[in-house]
């Protein structure tokens, strides 16, 4: 009886160049909480907890 061939799982990136929902300064990384709060505040949205 022969052995079954070994299979390899290859992980690839599924992000094919699409920008993230909240892109950060570092490519491929989302923005930080502080960065997102600053962007929202510049648009008049206060993010401080009530």
């Amino acid at each position: 009886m022969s052995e079954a061939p070994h299979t390899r799982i290859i992980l690839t990136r599924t992000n094919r160049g699409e920008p993230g929902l909240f892109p950060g300064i570092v490519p491929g990384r989302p923005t930080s909480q502080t960065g997102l709060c600053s962007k929202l505040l510049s648009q008049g949205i206060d993010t401080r907890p009530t």
Side-chain angles (χ1 to χ4, degrees):
M1 184 174 251
S2 65
E3 292 183 30
H6 294 284
T7 57
R8 295 178 125 187
I9 298 173
I10 299 173
L11 299 177
T12 60
R13 291 182 63 118
T14 57
N15 182 358
R16 296 185 178 102
E18 298 97 4
L21 183 59
F22 301 109
I25 295 173
V26 179
R29 298 286 311 257
T31 190
S32 66
Q33 181 179 356
T34 305
L36 182 58
C37 289
S38 295
K39 289 178 184 179
L40 291 172
L41 190 58
S42 72
Q43 298 299 313
I45 302 171
D46 188 7
T47 60
R48 291 180 295 166
T50 56

